[in-house]
Amino acid sequence: MPQIDHAIELTDYRRQDFSVCLGCKICASVCTVNDITGNTNPQDMLQRIFLGKDISADEPLVRSCTGCYRCTGACPWEIRIPDVIRALRHELNVESPFEKAFKGSVSLFGRVYEPYVLMKAVPFLIRGGYMQHVTRWMEYMGFHLPHRVKRT
Amino acid sequence: MEYGYYPGCSLTGSARKLDKGIRQIFARAGHTMKEIPDWNCCGAFEYGDRKELVNFSKKNLEKARGHFHDIVTPCPACYKNLKEADEAYEFGVIHPLDVFDESFFQWTKQARDLAGQVFTPYYGCILLRPKETAIRNKTIMEETIVRFGGEVAGEAAKDRCCGGNQIFIDKSVTEKLSRIILEKSRGTLVVFCPLCHMALKTFSGERKVIYFTDLLLYIMGEKGAL
Ligand code: SF4
Ligand code: SF4
Ligand code: SF4
Ligand code: SF4
């Protein structure tokens, strides 16, 4: 639970803000992840957070939320559920090697330098069966030198 | 008119085609664009700490201060982040679609039309939601396609999510979602986001996936644009 509390602190919300949720489940009816899993419900997750219950790192929404803001767009209170989920991902440490490489590049260069990210993520890409897509990705390839953003 | 320009990381690498297209189109319409000096990454959707995320874009706005008022940024994630960071509405954070109007199209000069071709404008998520940061006209691409004689399809796909954000996390999610977009659309898919481009391109088979800039350059008579 302290983890969940800490995650909420990372957002613009306080736990009690979720008391406005009407339980209408409109968010669930439009949720992109729900479209493909049929059992994901952002309302249920918010309610559990509000009631001080734990959220597990295996929660399908925490794993697979695409950050599409469909839920926010449809919610009468426009609750930014993906921002909450993003904070949970951070706090529960469910980031993929690719996300870690992304952040590594940002702290090193100040930008996402794709060759660096790719290099760091190679084992993950091989394990994950990404090599089969390489022929379709040729147009994205190319080399350029990194730009280093000045520290301020 | 002079615009500040925030290309963002993808546009310096895998989405350089989008970058080139934007620069060409703005030049043709008589606008100049200058990059924000030494801009940094906007953090995309990768940071759970809201303040940390917003600070990336605040830094970029600081770097733009005194140089530009209106800042053009094509990548939907960059655009949303930059717009959200401009809390005092000090700048005009603009998506290229926001400048498509009568005078813009007069300047750009038409060389070809789209007769007999079918297009699905696929806006995806971030250009349309949340509404505080959405583009001004949510049917601008449909209007543009019709204006130049093309046929518009795929109304049911245009604001769905392609799952691009999950492509390097769990690509089975992206595959399922992108296939829904492909099924619900027809003709060439016209996209706005580097990640949408990659997600759809990965699973599109024979279907064409292009940037909106490719379509405009084609209309303007550019060789090899489509
Ligand atoms: S942002 Fe996440 S929770 Fe909200 S609708 Fe999209 S996938 Fe579902
Ligand atoms: S749409 Fe909003 S108010 Fe309705 S259940 Fe979901 S979070 Fe609660
Ligand atoms: S959203 Fe993507 S492209 Fe835009 S600045 Fe951030 S990482 Fe770079
Ligand atoms: S990649 Fe797809 S999911 Fe991500 S911002 Fe673009 S539209 Fe949305």
Side-chain angles (χ1 to χ4, degrees):
Chain A
M1 236 96 67
Q3 264 189 316
I4 307 300
D5 282 332
H6 193 223
I8 302 301
E9 279 167 28
L10 297 179
T11 70
D12 291 338
Y13 293 105
R14 292 158 308 161
R15 178 200 294 270
Q16 58 268 34
D17 291 339
F18 303 136
S19 69
V20 298
C21 170
L22 312 165
C24 62
K25 297 193 176 67
I26 294 174
C27 50
S29 72
V30 300
C31 175
T32 295
V33 179
N34 197 25
D35 262 1
I36 53 172
T37 62
N39 61 2
T40 20
N41 182 350
Q43 178 265 339
D44 177 61
M45 192 194 69
L46 278 190
Q47 191 176 40
R48 279 186 282 143
I49 293 174
F50 177 65
L51 295 174
K53 294 194 178 146
D54 222 350
I55 305 287
S56 117
D58 295 325
E59 163 79 36
L61 268 185
V62 174
R63 293 246 155 232
S64 313
C65 168
T66 62
C68 69
Y69 289 92
R70 281 172 74 94
C71 50
T72 308
C75 170
W77 296 98
E78 295 175 43
I79 301 175
R80 294 170 62 113
I81 296 165
D83 293 2
V84 177
I85 296 173
R86 190 61 246 190
L88 288 168
R89 282 181 73 82
H90 176 91
E91 199 52 39
L92 300 173
N93 205 11
V94 284
E95 291 170 338
S96 80
F98 187 85
E99 291 169 281
K100 293 204 173 93
F102 179 110
K103 289 182 174 178
S105 174
V106 173
S107 49
L108 209 58
F109 301 104
R111 291 186 187 171
V112 176
Y113 178 51
E114 290 167 344
Y116 172 91
V117 177
L118 273 182
M119 200 185 70
K120 283 279 173 188
V122 160
F124 165 76
L125 296 175
I126 293 174
R127 250 186 297 121
Y130 286 87
M131 292 307 157
Q132 58 173 304
H133 303 304
V134 167
T135 47
R136 297 199 64 88
W137 290 351
M138 287 319 281
E139 68 175 285
Y140 305 128
M141 309 289 179
F143 186 77
H144 64 106
L145 290 170
H147 169 101
R148 251 177 221 275
V149 176
K150 282 187 223 70
R151 303 268 154 199
T152 41
Chain B
M1 165 125 190
E2 181 170 305
Y3 290 102
Y5 182 47
Y6 180 78
C9 314
S10 304
L11 273 74
T12 67
S14 52
R16 69 184 81 70
K17 198 174 182 205
L18 177 57
D19 173 72
K20 228 179 122 212
I22 293 288
R23 290 178 193 265
Q24 270 179 290
I25 289 163
F26 272 68
R28 287 223 189 193
H31 299 301
T32 54
M33 289 204 307
K34 282 203 186 112
E35 270 186 53
I36 295 178
D38 201 38
W39 56 266
N40 51 266
C41 173
C42 75
F45 189 60
E46 305 300 305
Y47 292 81
D49 183 339
R50 184 77 195 146
K51 284 195 191 68
E52 189 181 13
L53 180 71
V54 175
N55 276 338
F56 286 121
S57 294
K58 283 195 170 160
K59 258 195 235 164
N60 286 321
L61 291 175
E62 246 166 64
K63 291 170 187 175
R65 189 166 290 128
H67 299 281
F68 320 106
H69 178 266
D70 289 333
I71 305 167
V72 172
T73 179
C75 167
C78 302
Y79 163 75
K80 165 179 169 288
N81 283 341
L82 206 59
K83 208 163 171 177
E84 282 180 352
D86 183 23
E87 287 157 0
Y89 303 104
E90 180 189 346
F91 297 89
V93 177
I94 296 167
H95 188 271
L97 287 178
D98 289 335
V99 306
F100 285 12
D101 58 15
E102 282 304 318
S103 67
F104 182 86
F105 286 119
Q106 260 153 31
W107 271 99
T108 50
K109 294 204 188 71
Q110 177 180 2
R112 293 195 190 117
D113 68 30
L114 306 175
Q117 301 190 59
V118 181
F119 300 91
T120 294
Y122 174 63
Y123 294 89
C125 310
I126 303 305
L127 290 182
L128 308 180
R129 294 178 295 267
K131 70 168 187 282
E132 289 74 22
T133 46
I135 51 169
R136 267 193 304 140
N137 178 353
K138 295 179 181 177
T139 52
I140 181 66
M141 206 58 211
E142 289 90 318
E143 289 163 30
T144 305
I145 291 164
V146 169
R147 173 187 195 109
F148 294 108
E151 185 190 333
V152 174
E155 176 64 26
K158 70 177 249 187
D159 68 341
R160 292 185 66 100
C161 178
C162 67
N165 173 292
Q166 284 274 334
I167 194 163
F168 293 117
I169 300 173
D170 177 354
K171 73 182 164 93
S172 71
V173 172
T174 313
E175 174 160 8
K176 282 182 200 136
L177 292 171
S178 291
R179 291 204 188 283
I180 298 177
I181 311 279
L182 288 159
E183 274 162 29
K184 288 186 185 286
S185 61
R186 246 175 355 107
T188 300
L189 278 146
V190 182
V191 305
F192 305 87
C193 168
L195 219 46
C196 296
H197 194 286
M198 185 180 252
L200 292 170
K201 181 85 197 190
T202 306
F203 304 108
S204 60
E206 296 300 304
R207 291 277 295 282
K208 246 188 184 172
V209 181
I210 62 169
Y211 284 118
F212 70 116
T213 44
D214 302 331
L215 186 60
L216 282 163
L217 289 171
Y218 173 82
I219 293 165
M220 292 173 197
E222 197 69 29
K223 279 194 204 71
L226 270 197

